[in-house]
């Protein structure tokens, strides 16, 4: 009698397992929702335009050293305190409005968060030349930062943005109007910025910086002396004397 009961119990358990197996296999697996990333041009432009909104929360937002396949970042640490950083974010032309395809940041990299001191959008001609240069342009012995803007005259004339570096105050300041100065160089002897433009007739121009703005001193003059250094020095001195600039 006991054997018969055990046999019936095992038979019932086997049938139950068989039924569960059938129903389990016949049920279609539940599909998980797929999250899609909006990579449309409209959305990417919107994201680029929202940079100002991100910057409003400068105390706990993260800008620097972020992985972004749509951008190329360049970093420059202007001071001995390497937490200060100038970051240049190069967008493709499709990501931001015309003539504003690069964003420049100056701030402090705090690791998990960043403090953005200032930021601006600029235009940089794609593949136009060397992006960054470091030269002293105010005679203080500290290399300032030049960011290439564009070329003219079939590549002979170059234009740059100039950012003055002040390590004593941990400041980086853009010189207004400098991006209109063609082929600039700093003349340490006369403490002026010398410009040389290629045109139908090549010409020199003399500039000075005051209150973070560049201004031309005197009139431009043609290079009809084949760049003779003595003649050039006399012409610069004549202009400075006439304009009463020391």
């Amino acid at each position: 009698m006991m054997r018969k009961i055990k046999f019936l119990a095992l038979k019932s358990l086997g049938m139950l397992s068989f039924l569960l197996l059938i129903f389990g296999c016949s049920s279609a697996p539940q599909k998980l929702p797929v999250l899609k990333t909006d990579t449309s041009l409209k959305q990417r432009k919107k994201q680029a335009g929202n940079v100002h909104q991100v910057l409003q929360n400068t105390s706990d937002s993260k800008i620097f050293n972020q992985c972004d396949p749509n951008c190329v970042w360049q970093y420059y640490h202007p001071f001995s305190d390497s937490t200060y950083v100038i970051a240049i974010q190069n967008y493709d032309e499709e990501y931001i409005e015309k003539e504003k395809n690069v964003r420049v940041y100056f701030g402090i990299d705090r690791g998990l968060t960043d403090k953005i001191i200032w930021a601006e959008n600029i235009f940089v001609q794609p593949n136009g030349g060397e992006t960054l240069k470091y030269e002293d342009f105010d005679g203080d012995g500290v290399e300032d930062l030049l960011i290439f803007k564009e070329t003219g005259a079939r590549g002979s004339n170059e234009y740059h943005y100039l950012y003055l570096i002040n390590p004593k105050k941990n400041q980086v300041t853009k010189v207004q109007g400098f991006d209109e100065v063609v082929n600039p160089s700093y003349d340490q002897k006369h403490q002026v910025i010398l410009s040389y433009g290629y045109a139908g007739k090549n010409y020199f121009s003399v500039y000075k910086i005051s209150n973070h703005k560049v201004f031309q001193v005197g009139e431009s003059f043609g290079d009809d002396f084949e760049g003779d250094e003595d003649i050039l020095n006399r012409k610069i001195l004549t202009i400075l004397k006439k304009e009463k600039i020391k």
Side-chain angles (χ1 to χ4, degrees):
M1 183 68 180
M2 290 297 295
R3 290 181 179 178
K4 186 175 182 180
I5 293 174
K6 289 181 178 180
F7 174 76
L8 291 174
L10 291 172
K11 185 177 180 181
S12 298
L13 182 61
M15 288 295 293
L16 179 60
S17 300
F18 179 71
L19 291 172
L20 289 174
L21 179 63
I22 292 175
F23 283 111
C25 293
S26 62
S27 300
Q30 184 178 6
K31 293 185 179 180
L32 297 175
V34 178
L35 298 179
K36 295 183 179 181
T37 302
D38 188 352
T39 57
S40 64
L41 178 58
K42 181 179 180 180
Q43 177 64 17
R44 287 180 291 183
K45 286 185 176 180
K46 181 179 179 181
Q47 291 172 351
N50 285 339
V51 175
H52 290 289
Q53 297 179 8
V54 174
L55 294 181
Q56 289 175 0
N57 192 8
T58 58
S59 61
D60 54 9
S61 58
K62 186 63 182 173
I63 300 295
F64 306 137
N65 297 307
Q66 298 298 292
C67 181
D68 186 347
N70 297 321
C71 304
V72 177
W73 287 83
Q74 293 174 281
Y75 294 92
Y76 172 58
H77 299 275
F79 311 128
S80 57
D81 183 349
S82 60
T83 60
Y84 284 89
V85 60
I86 299 173
I88 303 170
Q89 186 180 20
N90 298 275
Y91 290 95
D92 289 338
E93 290 186 344
E94 62 181 323
Y95 294 115
I96 203 164
E97 67 268 23
K98 186 179 179 181
E99 296 190 353
K100 298 290 183 180
N101 62 335
V102 170
R103 188 160 182 81
V104 182
Y105 300 87
F106 171 57
I108 303 173
D109 187 343
R110 293 174 169 171
L112 296 178
T113 62
D114 297 323
K115 177 179 176 58
I116 305 303
I117 298 173
W118 58 255
E120 67 166 353
N121 292 337
I122 62 174
F123 170 75
V124 172
Q125 177 184 334
N127 303 317
E130 185 179 355
T131 305
L132 305 181
K133 292 182 180 181
Y134 313 101
E135 298 179 23
D136 180 12
F137 265 85
D138 57 0
D140 62 356
V142 176
E143 289 185 336
D144 301 304
L145 175 63
L146 290 166
I147 299 180
F148 170 82
K149 178 184 179 182
E150 61 185 350
T151 61
R154 297 182 180 180
S156 298
N157 292 331
E158 288 193 1
Y159 300 86
H160 299 79
Y161 303 97
L162 174 62
Y163 297 86
L164 298 179
I165 308 298
N166 187 335
K168 294 181 179 180
K169 297 183 178 180
N170 288 340
Q171 292 180 344
V172 176
T173 308
K174 183 181 181 181
V175 177
Q176 301 298 323
F178 189 87
D179 58 307
E180 298 178 5
V181 178
V182 57
N183 296 325
S185 62
Y186 188 72
D187 186 317
Q188 183 68 45
K189 181 176 181 179
H190 303 290
Q191 297 184 342
V192 297
I193 296 168
L194 197 60
S195 166
Y196 190 84
Y198 292 93
K201 181 179 181 181
N202 301 341
Y203 61 93
F204 286 96
S205 301
V206 178
Y207 293 86
K208 296 277 286 185
I209 295 175
S210 178
N211 297 322
H212 304 127
K213 295 181 180 180
V214 68
F215 64 95
Q216 185 172 347
V217 182
E219 299 292 332
S220 301
F221 52 92
D223 182 13
D224 53 4
F225 48 91
E226 298 182 353
D228 183 280
E229 187 172 347
D230 291 334
I231 297 177
L232 178 59
N233 286 334
R234 289 198 296 269
K235 286 183 175 292
I236 294 174
L237 287 173
T238 299
I239 288 176
L240 296 178
K241 184 178 180 179
K242 181 178 180 180
E243 300 295 329
K244 298 180 180 180
I245 295 177
K246 296 181 180 181

